[in-house]
Amino acid sequence: MNDTADSTLKNTLPQRQFLSIAMENLLELIIRLSGISAIIFVLAIFFFVFREALPIFFSDHFDLAKFLFNTQWYPTSEVNVRYGTFALTFGSISVTFLAMIIAVPFGLGSAIFISEFCGPKMKESLKIIIELLAAIPSVVWGFIGLTVMSRIIVSLTGAPVGVNLLNGGLILALMSVPIIVSISEDALKAVPDSYREAALALGATKWQIIYRVLLPSAKNGLLAAVLLGIGRAVGETMAVLMATGHAVQIPHGPLDSVRTLTANIAAELGEASAGSDHYHVLFLTGILLFIITFAVNLTADLVIRGIRRK
Amino acid sequence: MTPPEKTIEIENLRLAYGVKEVIHSVTFDIYRNEIFGIIGPSQSGKTSLLRCLNRTIDFVSNATVSGTIRVDGADISRIKDIYALRRKIGMVAPLPVGLPLSIYDNVAFAPRSVGLTKKDDLDEIVERCLKQAALWDEVKDRLGTLGTALSGGQQQRLTIARALSHQPQILCLDEFSIAIDPVTTMRIEDVLKELRNDITIILVTNLTQQARRLADRTMFLCNGDCIELDSTENIFSDNPQYAKTYEYVNGIFG
């Protein structure tokens, strides 16, 4: 019985051709390469940036401790060159922190509204508008910060200059909100409806469902959304360059101007002559930035794993 | 003999999703402390009927309900505290839905929703409900683990424990046994027989024999029409009122 079934199969089904097997192997190879290429690119970027930065370690004017913890940044001084990036690091961190204080509650709130409360028509239009917001180029945001926002800040707070930490934080918040909204909305949408129904049948109110079922089950996605927002804020260059005032100092309040690591590199790399200490130290600043973002991602990863283990 | 006390009265209930009517004007009563079986082929509106009862149907955007449903005399379409209604009706879905919380938190969810926070009270409720659902012995040492990590059958008993946690007066079971092995099914059926002394049970099932074993009265629902509603004995006898019932119950049709 089985023999006849086998023989009919052999007769009717064509044999796999050599070509189709080869194509399959080729496709697998290509996919494998694309996967591995991510690792290669990261390593290559790190390698080339580090190669440009390396000579600074052999310079007489450079001291790693001062580079990290000194606030004096005078890279072009004739008499006393100082390469302290602490004010820049602090600038990056404070602008990002301020932006996240504003953007995370707004972003999450808006995502919860879109996914749980609003009607289908409103939902569609809101999503389109938020995607439009994400598509605005960063230089346009910088322009808004420099002109519109700075005037508003001056007239509301009476600060001497409108381009400052607050301005940069607001602009960055506006830039990261769309990312946070769209990713957290995806995360909330991924929570199965059966969870909502089960909680509903237990007599839970809308809010109880949100904070006791939806937020806990979507927490990984929500955390990812916040971290991508942070990533966007730390890495953003043009908008903060135009909106923060570009003064190297530790800010005493939100109305002081600051300069960020990214803005510093963008503004000075064009002027530093290739091969000079200044040039090399800017690349080292790039590595510092790289390490900060890496640390953020790693923390996030560990936090998510920690949550999962519970 | 006094007529039995009605706990749910359904009058001319119609339900439509969009333009497609899935329940065509059914009228029946459910008595207090009975096990009320609902049998019928798939797509006949059994689950939808249950969703009308606790008004979770409100969240299906294109559903329109007409007719009246009274629970303990109160018209549920006019009821003010919808959450109290849902707590009065325990609901067990066909596939177990363990909320992504610990076993303990799953059962304590509903009591906490009404503001019960005292640890002793919650402990007592969790233990009682898990015992009632025949799950306590298997999980008492690991109440902190995720409910979703349990096996399918255990999860289903967890949802039964959860449905009992808000001390419902009516317990709706929607094909609770499709994810559970026969032994556990029998254990839960025993639990249901005990529960009958305290609460009313609505048992929706595809297994006609299950209705036969448990139900006091059985309704045969087909394509949104109530074909026949009678004592289980009559429904499963050789000559129920309608031939269709006989055919369905004996597997000739359906």
Side-chain angles (χ1 to χ4, degrees), chain B residues 14 16 23 33 64 99 102 109 160 201-202 207 216 222 225 241 252:
Chain B
R14 286 171 184 274
I23 296 177
N33 295 8
T64 40
L99 292 172
S102 71
F109 187 94
I160 293 175
I201 295 170
I202 302 175
L207 308 170
D216 299 304
C222 185
D225 288 308
Q241 207 169 344
I252 298 165

Side-chain angles (χ1 to χ4, degrees), chain B residues 1-253:
Chain B
M1 196 179 129
T2 52
E5 191 186 351
K6 293 169 185 171
T7 179
I8 298 175
E9 298 158 79
I10 294 176
E11 250 175 66
N12 300 323
L13 176 74
R14 286 171 184 274
L15 169 69
Y17 294 122
V19 290
K20 186 170 176 279
E21 194 170 82
V22 292
I23 296 177
H24 319 291
S25 189
V26 296
T27 300
F28 61 97
D29 300 325
I30 295 172
Y31 304 138
R32 195 174 296 285
N33 295 8
E34 74 169 340
I35 296 185
F36 186 85
I38 301 178
I39 57 173
S42 55
Q43 295 293 312
S44 51
K46 305 186 297 284
T47 304
S48 299
L49 185 70
L50 292 186
R51 297 175 83 187
C52 291
L53 278 186
N54 71 351
R55 271 185 59 188
T56 44
I57 198 81
D58 293 5
F59 292 87
V60 182
S61 53
N62 62 349
T64 40
V65 186
S66 66
T68 48
I69 301 175
R70 277 189 289 275
V71 175
D72 291 336
D75 184 346
I76 63 160
S77 64
R78 294 200 198 130
I79 214 158
K80 284 210 184 73
D81 189 354
I82 183 71
Y83 306 111
L85 172 75
R86 294 200 182 117
R87 282 192 296 273
K88 193 185 264 187
I89 301 174
M91 190 67 76
V92 176
L95 288 172
V97 182
L99 292 172
L101 307 166
S102 71
I103 296 172
Y104 186 95
D105 290 341
N106 257 292
V107 183
F109 187 94
R112 278 185 184 144
S113 294
V114 288
L116 194 69
T117 50
K118 258 170 66 186
K119 180 114 182 28
D120 292 348
D121 295 348
L122 286 175
D123 284 350
E124 190 258 313
I125 291 173
V126 169
E127 185 175 341
R128 178 174 53 78
C129 295
L130 285 173
K131 274 181 178 160
Q132 277 182 326
L135 188 61
W136 174 253
D137 291 333
E138 288 162 53
V139 300
K140 63 183 172 196
D141 301 321
R142 48 178 178 138
L143 292 174
T145 53
L146 267 181
T148 40
L150 293 172
S151 76
Q154 289 174 325
Q155 280 195 49
Q156 187 61 297
R157 279 176 283 160
L158 179 60
T159 60
I160 293 175
R162 202 172 60 193
L164 292 170
S165 68
H166 41 93
Q167 290 163 319
Q169 292 162 26
I170 300 154
L171 180 65
C172 303
L173 298 147
D174 189 358
E175 298 182 23
F176 74 91
S177 57
I178 63 172
I180 324 185
D181 63 280
V183 179
T184 316
T185 304
M186 296 314 280
R187 282 174 70 188
I188 295 176
E189 286 185 12
D190 290 340
V191 172
L192 295 180
K193 284 179 201 155
E194 270 171 46
L195 282 171
R196 167 163 44 181
N197 300 325
D198 306 316
I199 61 181
T200 310
I201 295 170
I202 302 175
L203 179 75
V204 168
T205 179
N206 263 337
L207 308 170
T208 49
Q209 292 310 311
Q210 190 169 53
R212 186 177 197 168
R213 282 194 297 270
L214 292 173
D216 299 304
R217 291 191 307 150
T218 298
M219 178 167 81
F220 175 43
L221 200 64
C222 185
N223 294 326
D225 288 308
C226 170
I227 305 289
E228 188 165 355
L229 165 59
D230 207 339
S231 72
T232 303
E233 206 178 318
N234 288 348
I235 291 274
F236 288 92
S237 68
D238 285 339
N239 46 357
Q241 207 169 344
Y242 294 91
K244 210 173 175 183
T245 312
Y246 180 82
E247 285 169 11
Y248 179 73
V249 166
N250 291 286
I252 298 165
F253 137 85

